[in-house]
Every structure is written in structure tokens, then in C-alpha cells.
Amino acid sequence: MEFRRITSLPPYVFTIIDSLKVEARRAGADVIDLGFGNPDLPSPDIAVDKLCEAVRNPRNHRYSASRGIPKLRQAVSDLYLRRFGVELDPDTEVINTIGAKEGFSHLMWTLLQPGDAAVVPSPSYPIHIYGPLFAGADIREVRLGTGLDFFDGLQEAWDYSWPKPRVIVMSFPHNPTTTCVDLDFMQKVVDFARENEVIVVHDNAYADLGYDGYMPPSILQAEGAKEVAVELYSMTKSFSMAGWRVAYLSGNREVVQALAKLKSYLDYGAFQPIQIAATVTMNETPDYPKEVREVYQSRRDALCGGLNRIGWELEPPKGTMFVWAPIPEPYREMGSVEFAKMLVTEAEVAVSPGVGFGPGGEGFVRFALIENEQRINQGVRNLKRALDKLEA
């Protein structure tokens, strides 16, 4: 039997490492999992308490609003004004999505069709590559990483593409490369998009995870951004609410309303108690992202400091909850999948192979900062024993 939209999908390489991790744990190994970026920090108490209260009210058990209840959209507008200095009309420029992946995927359906093209960074979070492909469009991959100028690559991809791309997909701070940009970069992209009549979709998943004083910008802070840009903001990392599936699309009202129209056919919105809890959380714990950021920065310091001490040299990232590490030279010829497999079996440390994020990811592995400092330090000790070719 042929399944139309999944037959062309390559094997999800992360499952290879996950299977080895499960096998090792069944055999009694204490595998330190720094692979899957699944936040381990608890959600705010106020979110849990408000959810319990709202669930007990039977009026909240009915279908909700696909666009998000009005108070939720107002809370998002208030957050953007507080955090970024950006004014949003909660009625026309904000919509609730059932997590950022759902919002992004369905947004690609509204913007793209067969024969269209989208510019996507490579390597990239998989849905950023496959969202346009699911919509039937082609992608123009622009390399991203150390020493590479994404804007120059974007211009080159535009110049040599036919048909011209209708969408530019971005996400900064970037998963997996941890590349960070400033507001001047965002302004250049917005100016380019206005000049070339292209829509920019910015997934701001790590909006609050900037380190050493760096504060990631919103693309909506750029002058004229609402003419050409929309942005996804998620509560997954900022408020440690991964399983709640709460995110928002904001910006250009025509694009926001197009997604609202599509979603009106596809869903009845997130469970209303979750929307209520998210509203109260944004309004009453605005500093919670700061607490989350401090935890991840401490973990980043423990991991990067430890890796550098054992001879695995890398620069600490300025943002995200990841460390994008080049495979050490003595092991580089193994490739990212075989190297990651070796780390699970010989060091009892799970990481993500870089090639799983697209061809531009080969030669790297990604660490997720989802274990506490003690576990990270244990992982570094395990790596030191297993990687005997490193020169500390």
C-alpha cells in the first residue's frame, strides 16, 4: 500500500540512537540522555493550578475557539509589548496554534502549493524542511553555521531560483546550529522581503534563551515587518510547557487570518482549560522565562566547560537549549550517525546525529541541555573515558 505523503520521507535517524538508548537501559546501563530536546523543567505552579481549576468547570469541556480565546490573544499581545516593544492587534494579528509544529505545518499549507518554492536553512529543525515539502513545494536550502553568512546565501538562492521562492523560513536562535542574529540582521531580511514581495516565517522558539546578556530579537521589531513577516512564539521553552502544545502566530494580518480560515476547517482549538492556564501564566509569571534561562545557561557552562577540558574544543552557544559540537578530528571520518552510536554504547551518553537535521549537519552532533549539572558532569567523565583519542 502506498501512503502519499510519507513514502518520500527518509528514515528518522534519531530513532536509531533512541533504540540503542532503550536497549542499553534495558541491559542496566545508566544512559545520560542529551539527545531529544525535551525540556525537563517543571511547568510553572500557576499553570498547573489554573489548569486544575479550569478543568473542574464543566463549561470548559466544550469545543473552544480555533483562533484562541480573546483573553489568551490579549495576553500574547501584552507579552510582545512587554518583551519586544511590539504592538499587536489581538483580534487580527494573533492566533493560537496547537504547538508551533502544528502552526508551522498548516501555515505552509496556506502559503505554498506544488510548483512553489521556499528558502530553508540547512541544517534545520526537520519540520522546517518537511513542512514546505508536505505542502507540495520545493525547497532551496541555504547553508547555515560557523563562518557562513546566511543573508548572502539567501540572496544567492534567490538570484538563482526559478520560480522565485514565495516563503523564507528562519529560526533564530537556531536549532540545531545555535546561530544567533541581531536586530540589524532581521531588518536586512525584512527589507529584502519587502523589495522582493516574499513572506518571511520566523520560528522564535528560543526567544527567551539568550546567554551572557544576549536577548534574541523578534523579527516583528524590524521596521515594516508586519508588511511581510509572521512569527511563531511557543510556551514550550520559555515557560517549560512542552506537553501543553501552546504556541502563537503573530504579525502580518492577512497571513494570520489565512491560517485562521484554514484552521477553522481543521480544529476547534486547544482544550479550553489549557488556553485559560496559558493566559494566566503569561499574565502573572512574566519573569518565569528568566528563571528558565538561568538554568539552561548553568547547564551550558557545565557541558561546554567540561568538553573543552577533555579536549573536545567548541565555542559555548549564545542561545537555544543545545550545544552544536563538531565531531573531534580523530573521529570525524566515522560520520555523525556512527559517532553518535558509539557514544551511546561506549560512553553511555545519547546525542543527536547532525545529519538528522539535513545534509548540512554532517560532521556535527547536537547535545540537548536536558539533564542537570551533576548528570552533565557524569556524562563528560564518561566521554573522557570513551574518547581516548582526544588530547586534553
Side-chain angles (χ1 to χ4, degrees), residues 31 41 57 61 90 95 250 373:
V31 177
L41 304 179
N57 185 341
H61 298 177
I95 185 174
S250 305
E373 288 89 336

Side-chain angles (χ1 to χ4, degrees), residues 125-136:
Y125 185 51
I127 196 61
H128 293 160
I129 295 171
Y130 289 100
L133 294 176
F134 286 150

Side-chain angles (χ1 to χ4, degrees), residues 23 36 39 111 117 119 138 141 158 179 196 203 216 258 265 343 347 358:
E23 285 177 26
F36 183 36
L111 297 175
V119 172
D138 295 325
E141 293 181 286
W158 179 270
T179 301
N196 293 286
D203 185 355
Y265 284 89
L343 295 189

Side-chain angles (χ1 to χ4, degrees), residues 86-339:
V86 171
E87 293 187 6
L88 294 170
D89 181 343
D91 291 327
T92 62
E93 296 176 338
V94 179
I95 185 174
N96 176 221
T97 65
I98 307 173
K101 286 177 80 170
E102 177 273 315
F104 179 83
S105 301
H106 287 146
L107 180 61
M108 294 299 102
W109 285 15
T110 68
L111 297 175
L112 298 167
Q113 65 182 10
D116 292 334
V119 172
V120 183
S122 179
S124 217
Y125 185 51
I127 196 61
H128 293 160
I129 295 171
Y130 289 100
L133 294 176
F134 286 150
D138 295 325
I139 57 171
R140 308 283 184 262
E141 293 181 286
V142 175
R143 293 295 295 272
L144 181 62
T146 304
L148 297 171
D149 189 313
F150 179 76
F151 189 75
D152 285 350
L154 166 63
Q155 289 183 303
E156 185 175 345
W158 179 270
D159 290 341
Y160 289 98
S161 288
W162 188 260
K164 295 299 183 188
R166 296 194 72 224
V167 173
I168 298 168
V169 175
M170 301 194 314
S171 182
F172 296 105
H174 184 253
N175 176 15
T177 69
T178 72
T179 301
C180 295
V181 300
D182 57 18
L183 186 54
D184 286 343
F185 172 88
M186 294 297 196
Q187 189 65 61
K188 283 201 300 184
V189 173
V190 166
D191 292 344
F192 177 87
R194 293 170 72 188
E195 181 180 340
N196 293 286
E197 298 182 347
V198 60
I199 296 293
V200 183
V201 178
H202 182 234
D203 185 355
N204 204 1
Y206 306 96
D208 297 293
L209 296 187
Y211 308 126
D212 306 322
Y214 170 68
M215 295 294 284
S218 162
I219 196 170
L220 300 181
Q221 290 175 269
E223 184 180 347
K226 286 188 191 178
E227 295 175 29
V228 291
V230 287
E231 180 168 88
L232 285 152
Y233 178 96
S234 169
M235 299 191 75
T236 292
K237 282 79 182 183
S238 296
F239 291 88
S240 201
M241 294 171 66
W244 300 61
R245 311 312 302 139
V246 186
Y248 316 100
L249 184 79
S250 305
N252 180 277
R253 66 184 58 198
E254 288 182 63
V255 175
V256 169
Q257 294 310 308
L259 180 60
K261 184 175 182 179
L262 179 69
K263 280 174 61 64
S264 70
Y265 284 89
L266 296 174
D267 67 69
Y268 288 105
F271 186 40
Q272 188 151 298
I274 290 177
Q275 295 191 46
I276 293 168
T279 302
V280 173
T281 300
M282 284 187 286
N283 288 340
E284 299 190 19
T285 59
D287 292 331
Y288 193 81
K290 190 184 303 180
E291 299 175 31
V292 171
R293 178 168 64 247
E294 289 171 357
V295 171
Y296 283 124
Q297 180 162 339
S298 179
R299 294 176 178 184
R300 177 208 65 165
D301 293 345
L303 179 62
C304 292
L307 292 177
N308 277 302
R309 279 195 303 273
I310 68 172
W312 190 337
E313 297 181 359
L314 48 79
E315 287 287 325
K318 288 173 58 181
T320 75
M321 55 181 286
F322 305 109
V323 171
W324 185 239
I327 298 173
E329 186 62 43
Y331 302 93
R332 196 156 295 166
E333 64 182 22
M334 294 178 69
S336 60
V337 173
E338 291 304 314
F339 181 67

